[in-house]
Amino acid sequence: GGWLGGGGTTRVWFNSVSMSGNRGFATGRGFALAIGDSTNPMDVRNNLLVTTQTSSGTATHAIGIVEGGSFASLTSNYNDLYSASTPLAMVGGLSTPQGQTVADLAAWRTRTGEDAASISADPLYQTNGNLHITSALSPAANIGQPIAGVTTDVDGESGSRTTLPDLGADEFITWSLATAVV
């Protein structure tokens, strides 16, 4: 996961994050994305923010943000915010007692007013260490929002990045099969 914040507009576009494994007795919370700035604009789109971590201590979350009021500085949509367990997120801080947990995507939408076109589903990564999606059957396939200037994925493949992109860093490529009867 990563922590973001601190000056200007921060753009978090087309990232794939997978936090997995057993954290043991962790005392701090874990986040696929932690936003530590409540005043500068944050643009979070087309990301796969996934946690399947387990812990006998504190929880892990798909997303957390220190903002707890109007969320005027946050633009977040076309993401997959997925946590294998609840709660999904934290708002108002990145730890308790100031941070408040948000159970699921519906509650996140209600609280922040963001992520109307986002999903909360396992994106079907190839493995926890290989964050390519497995196929066009991934719930993250072909549901993103094109962003001007972002034309290729992490592998340099264009796929449908400019028309109907996959969420995350990988654009799953499908090939047309041409057949001829001779």
Side-chain angles (χ1 to χ4, degrees):
W3 179 88
L4 295 175
T9 298
T10 300
R11 293 174 181 89
V12 183
W13 298 340
F14 292 106
N15 294 283
S16 295
V17 177
S18 175
M19 296 178 55
S20 62
N22 186 333
R23 294 178 52 202
F25 185 77
T27 57
R29 293 182 182 269
F31 299 93
L33 177 64
I35 302 172
D37 188 340
S38 62
T39 55
N40 293 296
M42 297 297 234
D43 184 357
V44 180
R45 288 184 284 160
N46 296 316
N47 299 288
L48 297 173
L49 303 174
V50 175
T51 180
T52 58
Q53 283 186 319
T54 58
S55 174
S56 57
T58 58
T60 62
H61 312 284
I63 191 168
I65 185 168
V66 296
E67 171 68 47
S70 70
F71 299 94
S73 63
L74 178 65
T75 299
S76 184
N77 210 359
Y78 296 93
N79 298 298
D80 184 355
L81 307 175
Y82 178 70
S83 177
S85 62
T86 58
L88 176 72
M90 279 194 89
V91 298
L94 301 176
S95 63
T96 53
Q98 61 274 44
Q100 301 162 354
T101 59
V102 179
D104 55 25
L105 183 58
W108 171 260
R109 287 176 177 148
T110 299
R111 184 67 193 264
T112 65
E114 299 293 326
D115 288 292
S118 293
I119 63 171
S120 185
D122 184 341
L124 305 176
Y125 288 136
Q126 287 187 7
T127 67
N128 287 332
N130 181 344
L131 305 188
H132 290 80
I133 57 176
T134 56
S135 72
L137 299 177
S138 166
N142 300 317
I143 65 166
Q145 179 183 48
I147 297 176
V150 182
T151 59
T152 59
D153 72 357
V154 68
D155 300 315
E157 300 165 335
S158 60
S160 59
R161 269 293 189 231
T162 59
T163 55
L164 193 56
D166 298 337
L167 301 181
D170 178 42
E171 188 67 29
F172 186 79
I173 304 297
T174 57
W175 302 98
S176 298
L177 176 62
T179 59
V181 177
V182 285

